[in-house]
Amino acid sequence: MSAANAEWPHLFRSGSADAPVLLMLHGTGGDEQQISRLAAALDPTAAVLAPRGRVQENGMNRWFRRLSEGVFDTDDVARRADDLAGFLVWARDRYELGDRPMVAVGFSNGANIALALALLRPEVLARVIAFSGMHPLDGLPAGGEGTTAARVAAGDLAASALLLVNGESDPMAPLPSVQRLVTVLEQGGARVEQVLRPGGHGIAKTDVAAAVKWLA
Ligand code: MLT
């Protein structure tokens, strides 16, 4: 597993030892260089860990497969979230991060994989800033022990804190899905702060300001 994780394309900058690690997760068609530029606006002292999504869709990097826009292959979401969890465990060791707090900052598809990770592996990732994200495991059929639905329902999120920033009229991250996500997170015991602004998909200046405030 370690050898595979070492080959995972990613960028790392160490930052100040007393600053958090920002896990920067790009959207569909983005990459680690592009999303990591946002880190300086959030906390210029932070360490930056930015892996690249390893799913390809028409030449675009993504984090998991989708069947159509907004309809996700939930088995793949769960599998890729576990893969990313493995990478984060490897990276903590490789970059000697110890117990430095890690905050995922994801945009769009990157927000969705961060949210999946927070739902399924809260022991690996407990803090998330999600720009234009939605419920990544929405509409799963109820299932028995061991299914992804059961893992989501049983998640103990008491130590988790999330900031969800969304446009009120975003067709790619519809509000009903965002609201179902908030319900699931709060049922698991997570602290959720939600910022809704006019407009659609994207990261507005006010979104960045909200994230800076939340981080502080
Ligand atoms: C997704 O696929 O995660 C969302 O639809 C957003 C996107 O287009 O990447």
Side-chain angles (χ1 to χ4, degrees):
M1 258 332 255
S2 289
N5 284 320
E7 283 160 23
W8 189 318
H10 68 280
L11 165 160
F12 178 74
R13 289 193 218 116
S14 56
S16 311
D18 56 350
V21 181
L22 296 182
L23 171 67
M24 305 301 296
L25 301 168
H26 63 77
T28 300
D31 65 21
E32 65 278 19
Q33 302 288 344
Q34 173 238 356
I35 192 71
S36 63
R37 288 198 274 276
L38 175 61
L42 296 175
D43 181 350
T45 67
V48 177
L49 176 63
R52 187 186 306 162
R54 296 191 298 181
V55 170
Q56 288 288 306
E57 184 188 276
N58 301 323
M60 296 184 293
N61 300 318
R62 277 181 59 82
W63 294 97
F64 53 80
R65 283 170 13 102
R66 60 180 165 183
L67 308 176
S68 59
E69 192 170 295
V71 183
F72 304 149
D73 175 342
T74 48
D75 289 338
D76 197 54
V77 176
R79 191 166 67 82
R80 303 281 177 179
D82 281 332
D83 288 351
L84 185 55
F87 172 78
L88 296 183
V89 170
W90 171 86
R92 258 196 197 281
D93 183 52
R94 164 71 181 80
Y95 296 114
E96 300 177 354
L97 297 175
D99 56 5
R100 278 173 80 170
M102 183 176 285
V103 184
V105 179
F107 169 60
S108 189
N109 186 238
N112 294 340
I113 194 69
L115 294 164
L117 195 48
L119 284 167
L120 294 170
R121 300 292 302 274
E123 80 287 6
V124 175
L125 182 70
R127 294 188 205 180
V128 175
I129 297 173
F131 294 113
S132 293
M134 59 188 274
H135 195 329
L137 295 160
D138 214 357
L140 276 181
E145 209 178 317
T147 61
T148 304
R151 286 172 69 194
V152 170
D156 177 0
L157 307 178
S160 300
L162 302 95
L163 173 67
L164 308 182
V165 187
N166 288 90
E168 283 165 348
S169 48
D170 181 351
M172 292 163 85
L175 272 193
S177 173
V178 179
Q179 294 314 128
R180 283 192 292 276
L181 172 66
V182 172
T183 302
V184 169
L185 290 168
E186 289 184 339
Q187 276 169 354
R191 273 177 296 135
V192 182
E193 190 174 319
Q194 214 180 349
V195 173
L196 289 176
R197 54 147 173 84
H201 215 68
I203 305 180
K205 273 192 184 155
T206 52
D207 299 348
V208 176
V212 170
K213 191 166 158 222
W214 186 83
L215 274 172

